[in-house]
Amino acid sequence: MPPDFVNNPPRRICLIRLSALGDVTHILPVVHTLRAQWPEARITWIIGKHEHRLAGLFPDIDFRVLNKKEGWGGYRQLWASLRDNRFDMLLLMQTSFRAHLASLGVKAPYRLGYDRVRSRDLHGLFINDRIPHRDREHVLDQQFGFLERVGITRRVMDWSLPLSAADREWAAEQLPGEQPTLIISPASSVALRNWFAERYAAVADHAIRELGMRVVICGGPSDMEYALADGIMANLQEPGVINLVGKDTIPRFLALLERAAVLISPDSGPAHMAAITDTPCIGLYGVSNAQRCGPYKSLHHTVDAFPIACEEILHKPAASCRWGTRVETPEAMQLVSVDAVCSTLDHLIAPD
């Protein structure tokens, strides 16, 4: 059993969630809840370098950044930065061996991790208590299992992060006026989860022609993202689509989302980041189970072909598949139709 933190609140809390952007976004309401429950506690968050560019906007959090590209040197720097720190609890909210190595530098008498079913990479060696197992729940709800284990039952479903005036000014320069805007963030870090350039272009044409929308393509400066954006631009029938791929930063992307009516994205970090600005997201899912890892605040807008993919490709119903199953074939995303995406967009922008 955990200590009685309800009557003896912790003074120092350490949590570890290194990656990825989507999973880090799921931690934001957990941190807001911790702050509301124990406002005097100091929270230290051990996080990856790339993900810190997002979560680092959270004020008054003691971030300790692990740069995995530095190998063992990155761990030594992290451990050295923690040497003089003592914590009342560690929330080890990731089961990768990288997270486990990071936890070796954390001095805490109470170390909470995942249940045995969801553990891997020798997770049990780095903790001394576990959250209860609950099957078939969204990954964000899994994170709240950590708080429930230490006595926090009320959730603060707040994803908000402060943005600078400079980032908002930049976004206003790119998207002036009040025209309803569709942002397409077309790329996931896993290529099989991506939809297809010609289909994104067909949806963009529909948004411009039928809904009078402004359309913007966003993404990072990777070769895959540039190529996908170029493919979309080459397949467009309507003029005027704005290509900002490689031109924004994470805070600038959030500022663009503030000015958008809707985001379209596959299973990716940006799909989850839309919750930060309360922007509706049409998630495109075929490889992954949207009920497990879809955009939490926009699950009812998701175009979810995963159940069909299970039937047609895996030849069994989704209900009989392991909860973390992925249909990792190019055919899975082909089951996401242009008509279904356009219909969802119509409902959001011009409801009956």
PDB file of all heavy atoms in Angstrom, residues 334-350:
ATOM      1  N   GLN A 334      -5.742   2.757 -46.124  1.00  0.00           N
ATOM      2  CA  GLN A 334      -6.560   2.865 -47.319  1.00  0.00           C
ATOM      3  C   GLN A 334      -8.045   2.745 -46.989  1.00  0.00           C
ATOM      4  O   GLN A 334      -8.905   3.176 -47.771  1.00  0.00           O
ATOM      5  CB  GLN A 334      -6.155   1.793 -48.327  1.00  0.00           C
ATOM      6  CG  GLN A 334      -4.794   2.023 -48.947  1.00  0.00           C
ATOM      7  CD  GLN A 334      -4.368   0.899 -49.874  1.00  0.00           C
ATOM      8  OE1 GLN A 334      -5.134  -0.029 -50.129  1.00  0.00           O
ATOM      9  NE2 GLN A 334      -3.142   0.980 -50.376  1.00  0.00           N
ATOM     10  N   LEU A 335      -8.353   2.174 -45.831  1.00  0.00           N
ATOM     11  CA  LEU A 335      -9.746   2.010 -45.421  1.00  0.00           C
ATOM     12  C   LEU A 335     -10.355   3.308 -44.902  1.00  0.00           C
ATOM     13  O   LEU A 335     -11.571   3.371 -44.665  1.00  0.00           O
ATOM     14  CB  LEU A 335      -9.836   0.913 -44.354  1.00  0.00           C
ATOM     15  CG  LEU A 335      -9.415  -0.483 -44.819  1.00  0.00           C
ATOM     16  CD1 LEU A 335      -9.321  -1.446 -43.635  1.00  0.00           C
ATOM     17  CD2 LEU A 335     -10.388  -1.013 -45.867  1.00  0.00           C
ATOM     18  N   VAL A 336      -9.536   4.339 -44.681  1.00  0.00           N
ATOM     19  CA  VAL A 336     -10.044   5.661 -44.300  1.00  0.00           C
ATOM     20  C   VAL A 336     -10.449   6.388 -45.582  1.00  0.00           C
ATOM     21  O   VAL A 336      -9.590   6.738 -46.399  1.00  0.00           O
ATOM     22  CB  VAL A 336      -8.983   6.458 -43.523  1.00  0.00           C
ATOM     23  CG1 VAL A 336      -9.510   7.853 -43.179  1.00  0.00           C
ATOM     24  CG2 VAL A 336      -8.564   5.720 -42.260  1.00  0.00           C
ATOM     25  N   SER A 337     -11.729   6.608 -45.782  1.00  0.00           N
ATOM     26  CA  SER A 337     -12.196   7.158 -47.058  1.00  0.00           C
ATOM     27  C   SER A 337     -12.267   8.679 -47.039  1.00  0.00           C
ATOM     28  O   SER A 337     -12.478   9.299 -45.986  1.00  0.00           O
ATOM     29  CB  SER A 337     -13.582   6.595 -47.400  1.00  0.00           C
ATOM     30  OG  SER A 337     -14.570   7.149 -46.549  1.00  0.00           O
ATOM     31  N   VAL A 338     -12.115   9.251 -48.219  1.00  0.00           N
ATOM     32  CA  VAL A 338     -12.265  10.701 -48.371  1.00  0.00           C
ATOM     33  C   VAL A 338     -13.681  11.124 -48.000  1.00  0.00           C
ATOM     34  O   VAL A 338     -13.896  12.140 -47.323  1.00  0.00           O
ATOM     35  CB  VAL A 338     -11.926  11.117 -49.815  1.00  0.00           C
ATOM     36  CG1 VAL A 338     -12.321  12.582 -50.060  1.00  0.00           C
ATOM     37  CG2 VAL A 338     -10.443  10.920 -50.099  1.00  0.00           C
ATOM     38  N   ASP A 339     -14.677  10.351 -48.429  1.00  0.00           N
ATOM     39  CA  ASP A 339     -16.072  10.702 -48.135  1.00  0.00           C
ATOM     40  C   ASP A 339     -16.323  10.780 -46.629  1.00  0.00           C
ATOM     41  O   ASP A 339     -17.020  11.684 -46.155  1.00  0.00           O
ATOM     42  CB  ASP A 339     -17.011   9.686 -48.773  1.00  0.00           C
ATOM     43  CG  ASP A 339     -17.119   9.843 -50.278  1.00  0.00           C
ATOM     44  OD1 ASP A 339     -16.678  10.890 -50.783  1.00  0.00           O
ATOM     45  OD2 ASP A 339     -17.640   8.924 -50.937  1.00  0.00           O
ATOM     46  N   ALA A 340     -15.745   9.825 -45.878  1.00  0.00           N
ATOM     47  CA  ALA A 340     -15.973   9.824 -44.428  1.00  0.00           C
ATOM     48  C   ALA A 340     -15.337  11.047 -43.779  1.00  0.00           C
ATOM     49  O   ALA A 340     -15.912  11.655 -42.865  1.00  0.00           O
ATOM     50  CB  ALA A 340     -15.411   8.540 -43.812  1.00  0.00           C
ATOM     51  N   VAL A 341     -14.152  11.428 -44.244  1.00  0.00           N
ATOM     52  CA  VAL A 341     -13.474  12.589 -43.674  1.00  0.00           C
ATOM     53  C   VAL A 341     -14.232  13.869 -44.039  1.00  0.00           C
ATOM     54  O   VAL A 341     -14.449  14.745 -43.183  1.00  0.00           O
ATOM     55  CB  VAL A 341     -12.010  12.650 -44.148  1.00  0.00           C
ATOM     56  CG1 VAL A 341     -11.316  13.894 -43.594  1.00  0.00           C
ATOM     57  CG2 VAL A 341     -11.254  11.397 -43.703  1.00  0.00           C
ATOM     58  N   CYS A 342     -14.644  13.993 -45.293  1.00  0.00           N
ATOM     59  CA  CYS A 342     -15.391  15.183 -45.703  1.00  0.00           C
ATOM     60  C   CYS A 342     -16.721  15.295 -44.959  1.00  0.00           C
ATOM     61  O   CYS A 342     -17.138  16.395 -44.575  1.00  0.00           O
ATOM     62  CB  CYS A 342     -15.628  15.158 -47.217  1.00  0.00           C
ATOM     63  SG  CYS A 342     -14.147  15.456 -48.206  1.00  0.00           S
ATOM     64  N   SER A 343     -17.385  14.179 -44.756  1.00  0.00           N
ATOM     65  CA  SER A 343     -18.657  14.197 -44.028  1.00  0.00           C
ATOM     66  C   SER A 343     -18.455  14.666 -42.589  1.00  0.00           C
ATOM     67  O   SER A 343     -19.261  15.454 -42.066  1.00  0.00           O
ATOM     68  CB  SER A 343     -19.276  12.797 -44.050  1.00  0.00           C
ATOM     69  OG  SER A 343     -20.453  12.747 -43.288  1.00  0.00           O
ATOM     70  N   THR A 344     -17.392  14.204 -41.953  1.00  0.00           N
ATOM     71  CA  THR A 344     -17.102  14.636 -40.582  1.00  0.00           C
ATOM     72  C   THR A 344     -16.772  16.118 -40.543  1.00  0.00           C
ATOM     73  O   THR A 344     -17.208  16.843 -39.643  1.00  0.00           O
ATOM     74  CB  THR A 344     -15.939  13.808 -40.011  1.00  0.00           C
ATOM     75  OG1 THR A 344     -16.256  12.418 -40.101  1.00  0.00           O
ATOM     76  CG2 THR A 344     -15.670  14.177 -38.563  1.00  0.00           C
ATOM     77  N   LEU A 345     -16.002  16.578 -41.526  1.00  0.00           N
ATOM     78  CA  LEU A 345     -15.666  18.000 -41.608  1.00  0.00           C
ATOM     79  C   LEU A 345     -16.929  18.832 -41.823  1.00  0.00           C
ATOM     80  O   LEU A 345     -17.109  19.878 -41.179  1.00  0.00           O
ATOM     81  CB  LEU A 345     -14.665  18.229 -42.738  1.00  0.00           C
ATOM     82  CG  LEU A 345     -14.172  19.658 -42.935  1.00  0.00           C
ATOM     83  CD1 LEU A 345     -13.427  20.168 -41.708  1.00  0.00           C
ATOM     84  CD2 LEU A 345     -13.265  19.746 -44.170  1.00  0.00           C
ATOM     85  N   ASP A 346     -17.816  18.384 -42.699  1.00  0.00           N
ATOM     86  CA  ASP A 346     -19.079  19.100 -42.937  1.00  0.00           C
ATOM     87  C   ASP A 346     -19.866  19.239 -41.637  1.00  0.00           C
ATOM     88  O   ASP A 346     -20.429  20.306 -41.342  1.00  0.00           O
ATOM     89  CB  ASP A 346     -19.940  18.350 -43.961  1.00  0.00           C
ATOM     90  CG  ASP A 346     -19.356  18.380 -45.363  1.00  0.00           C
ATOM     91  OD1 ASP A 346     -18.441  19.192 -45.615  1.00  0.00           O
ATOM     92  OD2 ASP A 346     -19.806  17.575 -46.196  1.00  0.00           O
ATOM     93  N   HIS A 347     -19.924  18.169 -40.881  1.00  0.00           N
ATOM     94  CA  HIS A 347     -20.691  18.189 -39.629  1.00  0.00           C
ATOM     95  C   HIS A 347     -20.109  19.193 -38.632  1.00  0.00           C
ATOM     96  O   HIS A 347     -20.850  19.850 -37.903  1.00  0.00           O
ATOM     97  CB  HIS A 347     -20.709  16.787 -39.021  1.00  0.00           C
ATOM     98  CG  HIS A 347     -21.444  16.713 -37.722  1.00  0.00           C
ATOM     99  ND1 HIS A 347     -22.825  16.778 -37.631  1.00  0.00           N
ATOM    100  CD2 HIS A 347     -20.994  16.608 -36.439  1.00  0.00           C
ATOM    101  CE1 HIS A 347     -23.181  16.709 -36.365  1.00  0.00           C
ATOM    102  NE2 HIS A 347     -22.108  16.598 -35.602  1.00  0.00           N
ATOM    103  N   LEU A 348     -18.785  19.304 -38.639  1.00  0.00           N
ATOM    104  CA  LEU A 348     -18.136  20.243 -37.706  1.00  0.00           C
ATOM    105  C   LEU A 348     -18.313  21.694 -38.125  1.00  0.00           C
ATOM    106  O   LEU A 348     -18.538  22.567 -37.294  1.00  0.00           O
ATOM    107  CB  LEU A 348     -16.637  19.915 -37.617  1.00  0.00           C
ATOM    108  CG  LEU A 348     -16.226  18.852 -36.606  1.00  0.00           C
ATOM    109  CD1 LEU A 348     -14.787  18.423 -36.864  1.00  0.00           C
ATOM    110  CD2 LEU A 348     -16.368  19.377 -35.194  1.00  0.00           C
ATOM    111  N   ILE A 349     -18.198  21.950 -39.424  1.00  0.00           N
ATOM    112  CA  ILE A 349     -18.168  23.327 -39.912  1.00  0.00           C
ATOM    113  C   ILE A 349     -19.559  23.832 -40.278  1.00  0.00           C
ATOM    114  O   ILE A 349     -19.891  24.998 -40.042  1.00  0.00           O
ATOM    115  CB  ILE A 349     -17.230  23.442 -41.140  1.00  0.00           C
ATOM    116  CG1 ILE A 349     -15.807  23.012 -40.734  1.00  0.00           C
ATOM    117  CG2 ILE A 349     -17.223  24.863 -41.681  1.00  0.00           C
ATOM    118  CD1 ILE A 349     -15.212  23.821 -39.597  1.00  0.00           C
ATOM    119  N   ALA A 350     -20.387  22.976 -40.861  1.00  0.00           N
ATOM    120  CA  ALA A 350     -21.725  23.398 -41.283  1.00  0.00           C
ATOM    121  C   ALA A 350     -22.748  22.368 -40.837  1.00  0.00           C
ATOM    122  O   ALA A 350     -23.364  21.682 -41.667  1.00  0.00           O
ATOM    123  CB  ALA A 350     -21.751  23.567 -42.804  1.00  0.00           C
TER     124      ALA A 350
END
